[in-house]
């Protein structure tokens, strides 16, 4: 049975389409991730699935319950870790967890046990009796994660779970998410804009941008779709070299970027001499070359035409429509 | 409603108690402000003669100030949903597997507890200043009316909070709605034939009028226009309507 199922889920804010007719499903026990830049529509999707926002169009079901008609049943089956802090800062860390535990109807024994357990996990046990308003940003984040893990929901939604955390805590939280998924069979839906996080945690990912799912598959399949190896080149005349290399049967997915070209090939290290030979015949000088296994970054670049880490204020989601040229390459496929 | 919902109601109530007791300045100001009103207005107007008023002005004023304290405090509780919305905590409450109704009940009970404590403190001070109590039955009826007033005001606050996105409108709501309500409620001066007709009419349209009239009738047994039980009937109907609307709007709002 699919735990999450959506049907043309859409949300508009005035004239702005935040989530645009998305359709996906997540199976029981799966870790599914939405990978996309800030403002891609990830949080809006989570808010609709967790009954906090009404969809403008379309529908979805969680554990077989309709998010519009059976909201109470949906809430019984979900746990959420929000992106923005959702803590009561006038209460202590422990009181926040206690509040949560009681709202979810945990028994007193489970409550005590879980509170100690999750506080240990995020290393806040010694800070449990301090008011949350005196916590640092990182501590708040950790407390939030701890809270989301406390009750054992059918599906756990994690909105950018490790945003702003140090490497060590991130690791610990990843391990715990994996463990939770394995031992308790919790289905996990997470959003992230960290490639390594999606790579490490997710069985399957959907790449989302501008409110649309561009592609959805297992991490391995997605990487292979780019090519077994990725060669990045910069040279004196990108356009000319691209045209020439595009004629070779062993080159797939050749893509121009601002100052470099990427191409997918098999056994990349053996192809470099051939590429140099070709470049020499058309009088193009190659200034740098790099061969590596494809990463999710390449996948993202391939499907959206830009790197996630190149985000600047203009490429961030705003109400200003994007230049359509950015999608040219996708149309050409 | 099941045991889970009751636990949630208790938890929401407990949270408000903790928050209130930790905000010392709020504890202080919510009690001191009505006391100022009672003392300054009370002694200031004590010499004045209002046509048709029985007893001293402080006796007349006390029920109005008790109602004012409860009204302000309860409204604040209702509107403070906005605080939770801005801090993000509302999301945590809204995704929990408890009914929206129990969330509203929990918040209302929390707000009512605080408001009633304040109301009773003012009442005790008024007694020391010489306001008489009719009898125990009257005191009981007063307490019931105070509870209903508090519930209604929380419900009203919830309606306002669901229609506002931030605090910018909060100040104008206070001065545009709360102040006229208070001044037209008979809290400060008696409503009778000596007033212009339109002012009388407006006062009779004011829900707060019936609440103060009810407290006046049941607590001091003087200067009330309607029988306290008639007031109680009107207040009960109002309370159900406003609470119903408050729950409805809260239910519809998005986090």
């Amino acid at each position: 049975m699919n735990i999450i199922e959506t049907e043309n889920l859409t949300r508009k804010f005035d004239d702005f389409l935040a989530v645009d007719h998305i359709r996906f499903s997540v199976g029981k026990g799966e870790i599914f991730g939405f990978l996309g830049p800030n403002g891609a529509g990830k949080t809006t999707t989570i808010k609709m699935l967790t009954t906090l926002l009404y969809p403008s169009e379309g529908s979805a079901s969680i554990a077989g319950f309709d998010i519009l008609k059976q909201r109470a049943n949906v809430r019984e089956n979900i746990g959420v870790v929000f992106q923005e802090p959702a803590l009561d800062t006038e209460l202590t860390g422990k009181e926040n967890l206690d509040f949560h535990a009681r709202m979810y109807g945990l028994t007193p024994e489970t409550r005590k046990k879980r509170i100690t357990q999750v506080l240990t996990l995020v290393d806040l046990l010694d800070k449990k009796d301090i008011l949350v308003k005196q916590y640092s940003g990182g501590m708040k984040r950790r407390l939030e994660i701890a809270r989301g893990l406390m009750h054992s929901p059918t599906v756990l939604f994690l909105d950018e779970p490790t945003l702003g955390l140090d490497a060590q805590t991130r690791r610990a939280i990843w391990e715990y998410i994996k463990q939770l998924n394995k031992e308790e069979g919790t289905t996990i839906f997470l959003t992230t804009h960290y490639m390594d996080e999606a790579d490490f945690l997710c069985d399957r990912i959907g790449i989302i941008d501008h409110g649309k799912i561009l592609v959805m598959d297992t991490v391995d399949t997605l990487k292979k779709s780019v090519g077994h190896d990725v060669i990045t080149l910069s040279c004196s005349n990108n356009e000319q070299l691209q045209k020439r290399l595009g004629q070779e049967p062993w080159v797939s997915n050749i893509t121009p970027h601002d100052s470099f070209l990427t191409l997918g090939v098999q056994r990349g290290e053996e192809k470099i001499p051939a590429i140099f030979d070709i470049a020499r015949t058309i009088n193009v000088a190659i200034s740098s070359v790099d061969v590596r296994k494809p990463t999710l970054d390449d996948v993202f670049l391939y499907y959206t035409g830009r790197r996630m880490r190149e985000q600047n204020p203009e490429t961030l989601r705003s109400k200003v429509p994007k230049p359509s040229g950015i999608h040219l390459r996708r149309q050409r496929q | 409603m099941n045991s889970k919902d009751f636990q949630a109601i208790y938890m929401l109530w407990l949270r408000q108690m903790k928050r209130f007791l930790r905000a010392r300045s709020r504890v202080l100001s919510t009690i001191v402000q009505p006391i100022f009103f009672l003392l300054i207005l009370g002694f200031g107007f004590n010499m004045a003669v209002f046509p048709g008023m029985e007893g001293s002005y402080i006796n007349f004023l006390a029920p109005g100030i008790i109602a004012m304290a409860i009204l302000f405090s309860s409204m604040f509780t209702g509107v403070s949903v906005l605080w939770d919305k801005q801090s993000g905590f509302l999301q945590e409450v809204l995704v929990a597997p408890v009914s929206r109704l129990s969330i509203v009940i929990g918040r209302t009970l929390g707000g009512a507890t605080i408001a009633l404590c304040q109301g009773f403190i003012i009442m005790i001070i008024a007694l020391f200043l010489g306001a008489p109590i009719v009898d125990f039955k009257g005191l009981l009826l007063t307490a019931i009316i105070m509870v209903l007033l508090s519930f209604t005001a929380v419900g009203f606050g919830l309606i306002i909070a669901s229609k506002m996105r931030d605090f910018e409108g909060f100040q104008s709501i206070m001065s545009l709605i709360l102040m006229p309500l208070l001044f037209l409620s008979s809290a400060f001066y008696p409503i009778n034939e000596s007033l212009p007709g339109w002012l009388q009419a407006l006062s009779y349209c004011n829900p707060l009028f019936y609440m103060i009239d009810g407290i006046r009738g049941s607590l001091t047994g003087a200067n009330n226009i309607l029988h306290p039980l008639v007031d109680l009937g009107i207040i009960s109907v109002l309370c159900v309507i406003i609470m119903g609307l408050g729950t409805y709007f809260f239910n519809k709002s998005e986090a």
Side-chain angles (χ1 to χ4, degrees):
Chain A
M1 187 181 94
N2 282 333
I3 293 291
I4 304 176
E5 190 101 46
T6 77
E7 187 65 43
N8 288 330
L9 200 63
T10 303
R11 173 72 197 208
K12 265 186 205 154
F13 293 106
D14 300 324
D15 288 337
F16 167 65
L17 258 177
V19 174
D20 188 1
H21 298 87
I22 60 171
R23 187 186 291 193
F24 67 95
S25 57
V26 179
K28 189 166 172 46
E30 214 181 343
I31 303 186
F32 180 84
F34 258 3
L35 179 66
N38 293 330
K42 302 184 304 263
T43 300
T44 309
T45 307
I46 282 201
K47 284 197 171 176
M48 284 193 282
L49 293 177
T50 56
T51 75
L52 287 178
L53 280 179
Y54 292 96
S56 313
E57 213 182 298
S59 167
S61 70
I62 305 283
F65 298 110
D66 191 288
I67 58 160
L68 281 171
K69 292 174 206 128
Q70 297 160 296
R71 300 168 78 75
N73 301 77
V74 169
R75 284 185 204 121
E76 265 166 31
N77 280 290
I78 58 172
V80 195
V81 175
F82 300 101
Q83 187 179 348
E84 328 90 89
L87 299 162
D88 188 335
T89 52
E90 298 294 324
L91 299 181
T92 67
K94 191 179 165 217
E95 281 169 341
N96 264 289
L97 296 183
D98 196 53
F99 180 91
H100 184 85
R102 284 177 195 258
M103 292 294 274
Y104 283 79
L106 300 190
T107 60
E109 304 91 70
T110 330
R111 199 158 70 212
K112 273 203 193 106
K113 203 183 78 196
R114 285 297 254 199
I115 288 180
T116 317
Q117 210 176 0
V118 295
L119 280 175
T120 313
L121 173 81
V122 296
D123 200 20
L124 282 176
L125 201 57
D126 53 333
K127 306 277 193 317
K128 67 177 161 53
D129 293 320
I130 298 177
L131 289 184
V132 172
K133 66 177 167 193
Q134 277 147 10
Y135 277 28
S136 71
M139 284 159 74
K140 283 184 189 158
R141 192 83 204 121
R142 269 144 59 198
L143 182 65
E144 196 119 357
I145 303 262
R147 188 174 64 182
L149 304 176
M150 254 187 37
H151 66 291
S152 318
T154 316
V155 50
L156 182 62
F157 290 89
L158 300 164
D159 197 358
E160 302 274 3
T162 62
L163 193 68
L165 292 181
D166 59 88
Q168 206 181 341
T169 317
R170 285 183 83 197
R171 270 285 156 183
I173 284 165
W174 286 356
E175 295 297 341
Y176 196 86
I177 293 172
K178 279 261 186 200
Q179 191 190 334
L180 193 74
N181 171 256
K182 210 160 145 197
E183 283 170 17
E184 307 195 21
T186 313
T187 306
I188 290 168
F189 179 100
L190 66 91
T191 72
T192 183
H193 66 268
Y194 294 125
M195 306 287 171
D196 53 345
E197 186 161 278
D199 208 347
F200 184 87
L201 284 174
C202 298
D203 301 321
R204 259 184 339 129
I205 61 167
I207 291 186
I208 179 167
D209 197 16
H210 301 227
K212 283 197 170 92
I213 299 180
L214 304 178
V215 62
M216 190 166 43
D217 217 320
T218 63
V219 176
D220 277 345
T221 316
L222 283 177
K223 285 181 184 169
K224 282 192 185 122
S225 73
V226 182
H228 287 268
D229 284 320
V230 175
I231 296 182
T232 310
L233 287 171
S234 56
C235 58
S236 55
N237 190 332
N238 283 343
E239 207 178 319
Q240 209 180 341
L241 186 64
Q242 184 202 349
K243 222 180 263 170
R244 178 61 189 82
L245 282 176
Q247 294 163 5
E248 297 295 323
W250 45 269
V251 172
S252 58
N253 302 331
I254 184 159
T255 316
H257 302 284
D258 297 341
S259 58
F260 58 95
L261 288 174
T262 59
L263 43 147
V265 294
Q266 306 238 354
R267 282 199 294 280
E269 59 286 354
E270 294 172 15
K271 298 297 188 299
I272 291 176
I275 291 171
F276 271 86
D277 286 343
I278 291 169
R280 206 166 299 130
T281 58
I282 55 170
N283 281 325
V284 170
I286 293 174
S287 54
S288 83
V289 63
D290 172 53
V291 187
R292 60 194 152 77
K293 295 280 167 213
T295 62
L296 279 176
D297 202 19
D298 295 307
V299 177
F300 188 82
L301 180 65
Y302 175 63
Y303 285 101
T304 65
R306 60 204 158 93
R307 287 188 186 278
M308 295 237 330
R309 59 174 112 90
E310 271 172 11
Q311 281 180 45
N312 57 44
E314 281 99 280
T315 58
L316 284 180
R317 183 61 125 183
S318 65
K319 293 203 175 184
V320 183
K322 292 248 173 95
S324 55
I326 248 173
H327 299 295
L328 266 182
R329 210 195 45 274
R330 228 191 294 146
Q331 290 155 8
R332 209 185 292 158
Q333 285 167 37
Chain B
M1 282 278 176
N2 51 34
S3 66
K4 224 183 198 177
D5 282 313
F6 284 112
Q7 199 168 32
I9 291 173
Y10 166 71
M11 205 55 221
L12 287 159
W13 176 85
L14 188 67
R15 168 178 177 245
Q16 294 224 306
M17 294 304 116
K18 283 183 176 164
R19 280 181 70 99
F20 179 71
L21 292 174
R22 277 172 200 173
R24 299 232 172 76
S25 62
R26 200 190 139 200
V27 179
L28 209 67
S29 76
T30 45
I31 292 174
V32 168
Q33 193 203 19
I35 293 176
F36 277 161
F37 266 78
L38 190 63
L39 292 181
I40 297 171
L41 278 182
F43 286 110
F45 282 105
N46 221 7
M47 308 297 143
V49 181
F50 288 92
M53 192 165 89
E54 296 172 42
S56 73
Y57 183 70
I58 287 189
N59 294 359
F60 178 84
L61 185 67
I65 300 299
I66 293 172
M68 184 188 93
I70 296 176
L71 176 76
F72 279 21
S73 176
S74 305
M75 272 271 300
F76 181 80
T77 302
V79 174
S80 67
V81 168
L82 268 182
W83 269 254
D84 282 354
K85 207 186 256 183
Q86 292 231 320
S87 75
F89 190 75
L90 189 63
Q91 298 182 50
E92 153 76 0
V93 178
L94 290 184
V95 291
V98 293
S99 66
R100 294 286 196 263
L101 183 65
S102 32
I103 297 173
V104 172
I105 293 176
R107 184 170 277 274
T108 308
L109 289 181
T113 311
I114 296 167
L116 288 178
C117 288
Q118 294 165 351
F120 279 110
I121 290 173
I122 308 297
M123 190 194 281
I124 290 165
I125 292 170
L127 294 184
F128 276 112
L129 294 176
I133 289 185
V134 182
D135 54 13
F136 181 71
K137 247 184 359 198
L139 194 64
L140 199 67
L141 187 57
T142 307
I144 294 173
I145 294 176
M146 281 160 72
V147 172
L148 289 176
L149 162 59
S150 174
F151 283 7
T152 314
V154 175
F156 188 52
L158 282 177
I159 296 174
I160 292 174
S162 70
K163 293 286 148 208
M164 285 196 319
R165 286 236 152 255
D166 45 43
F167 309 113
E168 309 221 327
F170 187 64
Q171 208 56 42
S172 43
I173 297 264
M174 288 308 249
S175 51
L176 281 177
I177 298 181
L178 228 44
M179 283 304 154
L181 268 183
L182 200 61
F183 287 131
L184 289 172
S185 68
S186 83
F188 305 118
Y189 55 86
I191 307 291
N192 55 33
E193 289 72 38
S194 51
L195 294 176
W198 59 269
L199 201 58
Q200 281 184 54
L202 273 179
S203 298
Y204 288 124
C205 295
N206 179 357
L208 194 59
F209 167 81
Y210 299 96
M211 305 190 179
I212 293 177
D213 196 58
I215 295 177
R216 203 165 268 148
S218 54
L219 188 69
T220 62
N223 294 314
N224 54 314
I225 291 165
L226 299 168
H227 189 277
L229 287 176
V230 177
D231 286 318
L232 183 67
I234 297 172
I235 298 164
S236 306
V237 173
L238 264 169
C239 180
V240 170
I241 295 174
I242 299 276
M243 278 297 285
L245 281 176
T247 311
Y248 172 78
F249 280 117
F250 180 72
N251 213 347
K252 291 264 292 189
S253 65
E254 296 178 325

